[in-house]
Amino acid sequence: MPVPARAAVAAVAAVAAVALAALLAGCGREAVRPAAAPVPATRAWPQVAPANPAAANAVTLRALSLVGTPYRYGGDSPESGFDCSGLVNYVYRDMLDLRLPRSSRELARVQGPRLAPERLAAGDLVFFGSGGDVSHVGIYVGEGRFVHAPSGGGTVRLDHLDGHYWRDRYSGARRVL
């Protein structure tokens, strides 16, 4: 290799080494963004075994796979987006061929035991509202968390039942599995 070419390769190698050292040095520094606010203390959520673990697992995994799907009023598929009851209906129909009522109010009246929060198992339906009126539904996935399609402009997401908004509006749960 001619001397000027060797010098060019050496210069590029030196620049690369300096750049790598700078990148690695940055790894030990404090975060540029401030730390997130601490999560409020939540209650201990007992792990309750579902009556049909295979069905509960299928429902839970399918619901989690839809996180990020856009919200759409009246929506009932991943292609069109979901509203809350459309999400519940889609997951149970897709995974278990189980047909459920379409609205959150009708779902709240489904046959099955009403459940205290400490008795929730994966796959249970959780309901929210105010003044005794149910207006929202989600699928409990364990550890105090549920998957749901919140209203306008959002996407299907995973939230915690102990979150301020949801804790204050929790109205009960039903077991359908």
Side-chain angles (χ1 to χ4, degrees), residues 46-111:
Q47 191 170 19
V48 176
N52 184 339
N57 190 49
V59 165
T60 298
L61 291 176
R62 185 62 173 137
L64 288 167
S65 77
L66 296 167
V67 168
T69 304
Y71 174 88
R72 191 191 78 160
Y73 180 77
D76 61 1
S77 74
E79 297 77 29
S80 68
F82 292 107
D83 65 11
C84 66
S85 58
L87 172 69
V88 168
N89 272 271
Y90 176 81
V91 168
Y92 277 87
R93 185 178 64 248
D94 186 44
M95 298 314 300
L96 306 176
D97 198 28
L98 180 60
R99 311 291 175 183
L100 294 171
R102 180 60 175 97
S103 76
S104 57
R105 283 183 195 94
E106 292 169 334
L107 283 164
R109 291 191 289 264
V110 165
Q111 290 292 322

Side-chain angles (χ1 to χ4, degrees), residues 15-164:
V15 168
V18 168
L20 180 60
L23 283 172
L24 291 175
C27 290
R29 292 189 176 172
E30 291 182 32
V32 175
R33 288 183 253 171
V39 176
T42 60
R43 66 184 124 174
W45 290 90
Q47 191 170 19
V48 176
N52 184 339
N57 190 49
V59 165
T60 298
L61 291 176
R62 185 62 173 137
L64 288 167
S65 77
L66 296 167
V67 168
T69 304
Y71 174 88
R72 191 191 78 160
Y73 180 77
D76 61 1
S77 74
E79 297 77 29
S80 68
F82 292 107
D83 65 11
C84 66
S85 58
L87 172 69
V88 168
N89 272 271
Y90 176 81
V91 168
Y92 277 87
R93 185 178 64 248
D94 186 44
M95 298 314 300
L96 306 176
D97 198 28
L98 180 60
R99 311 291 175 183
L100 294 171
R102 180 60 175 97
S103 76
S104 57
R105 283 183 195 94
E106 292 169 334
L107 283 164
R109 291 191 289 264
V110 165
Q111 290 292 322
R114 288 189 70 95
L115 303 167
E118 61 276 1
R119 291 192 48 232
L120 291 172
D124 289 341
L125 301 181
V126 289
F127 298 96
F128 306 89
S130 60
D133 189 32
V134 170
S135 58
H136 192 66
V137 62
I139 300 171
Y140 186 73
V141 296
E143 298 181 358
R145 295 178 179 258
F146 67 106
V147 173
H148 66 117
S151 61
T155 61
V156 173
R157 68 184 192 215
L158 180 66
D159 272 323
H160 205 286
L161 288 169
D162 278 337
H164 178 72

